[in-house]
């Protein structure tokens, strides 16, 4: 059951038939929406797929990260999700998508919304780079970042990695080489 006090515009909720919808300003203006909210809407369980749809990227270590929150990571552990900030787990529990959206907003002022178009090139470059990352990790343990070049479909890219507060190397972006 979803309480009206838990909802904000942009929250993802489930309809009676199980299909997810994003709560909109239009819905909030509808008396019908509020009348039926607690009987027809259900929480949508947070999953790895929902994290990806909300703009997170999965690293080689099973951590989910989002560019707007570089020191935050999410890890799926059985039935729960651990929220990790600066390398320390501060919360581990199961979430519905709308409650996770609200928690992140309360803690960071960042709105998590469904990403309609993913950057498929970025995803491909990150996947290839993560697969060969260990060949390029600096020997200097104090290094906080490094980059290397790779080619995909005849194009050359420089990929950048940074070390997060937990000591993991995280994909930090790419640029096309001229």
């Amino acid at each position: 059951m979803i309480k009206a006090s838990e909802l904000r515009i942009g929250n993802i909720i489930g309809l009676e038939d199980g299909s997810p919808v994003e709560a909109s300003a239009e819905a909030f203006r509808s008396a019908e929406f509020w009348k039926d909210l607690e009987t027809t809407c259900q929480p949508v369980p947070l999953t790895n797929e929902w994290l990806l749809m909300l703009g997170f990227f999965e690293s080689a270590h099973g951590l989910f990260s989002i560019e707007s929150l570089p020191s935050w990571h999410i890890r799926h552990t059985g039935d729960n999700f651990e929220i990790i900030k600066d390398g320390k787990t501060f919360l581990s529990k199961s979430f519905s998508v709308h409650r996770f959206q609200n928690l992140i907003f309360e803690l960071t002022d960042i709105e998590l919304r469904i990403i309609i178009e993913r950057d498929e090139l970025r995803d491909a470059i990150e996947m290839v780079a993560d697969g060969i990352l260990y060949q390029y990790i600096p020997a200097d343990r104090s290094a906080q970042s490094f980059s290397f070049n790779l080619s995909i479909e005849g194009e050359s890219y420089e990929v950048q990695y940074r070390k997060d507060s937990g000591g993991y190397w995280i994909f930090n972006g790419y640029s096309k080489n001229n």
Side-chain angles (χ1 to χ4, degrees), residues 4-5 23 27-28 40 47-50 74 87 93 108 124 128 135-136 162 166-167 171 176:
S5 61
F28 277 37
T40 62
T47 63
N48 292 353
E49 292 76 23
W50 273 109
I74 311 297
K93 65 180 281 181
T108 67
V128 170
Q135 298 174 34
Y136 298 96
R162 67 173 172 74
F171 183 81
K176 187 174 180 181

Side-chain angles (χ1 to χ4, degrees), residues 25-119:
E26 272 179 30
F28 277 37
R29 285 191 287 265
S30 162
E32 192 74 19
F33 174 80
W34 294 110
K35 184 179 105 185
D36 296 336
L37 174 68
E38 292 186 11
T39 57
T40 62
C41 296
Q42 301 296 320
V44 174
L46 185 65
T47 63
N48 292 353
E49 292 76 23
W50 273 109
L51 286 173
L52 294 172
M53 286 191 284
L54 293 170
F56 285 79
F57 294 93
E58 186 173 11
S59 74
H61 307 290
L63 295 174
F64 289 86
S65 306
I66 192 165
E67 289 178 14
S68 55
L69 298 169
S71 64
W72 293 69
H73 304 289
I74 311 297
R75 180 179 18 228
H76 194 186
T77 59
D79 293 336
N80 291 332
F81 282 86
E82 290 180 344
I83 299 178
I84 303 162
K85 168 117 172 52
D86 296 324
K88 295 181 181 170
T89 300
F90 75 87
L91 185 60
S92 178
K93 65 180 281 181
S94 62
F95 287 99
S96 64
V97 175
H98 80 277
R99 293 193 74 199
F100 180 71
Q101 288 176 293
N102 292 344
L103 175 68
I104 295 300
F105 180 75
E106 284 298 317
L107 294 173
T108 67
D109 287 333
I110 303 259
E111 290 279 359
L112 295 178
R113 293 284 177 86
I114 294 176
I115 304 298
I116 303 300
E117 283 187 41
R118 300 229 359 134
D119 182 347

Side-chain angles (χ1 to χ4, degrees), residues 143-175:
Q144 294 298 305
S145 64
F146 71 95
S147 63
F148 60 91
N149 293 317
L150 60 82
S151 292
I152 296 179
E153 296 181 0
E155 299 289 340
S156 178
Y157 300 94
E158 178 184 35
V159 296
Q160 298 92 32
Y161 279 81
R162 67 173 172 74
K163 192 180 283 185
D164 73 3
S165 56
Y168 294 106
W169 289 106
I170 303 296
F171 183 81
N172 198 43
Y174 71 94
S175 58

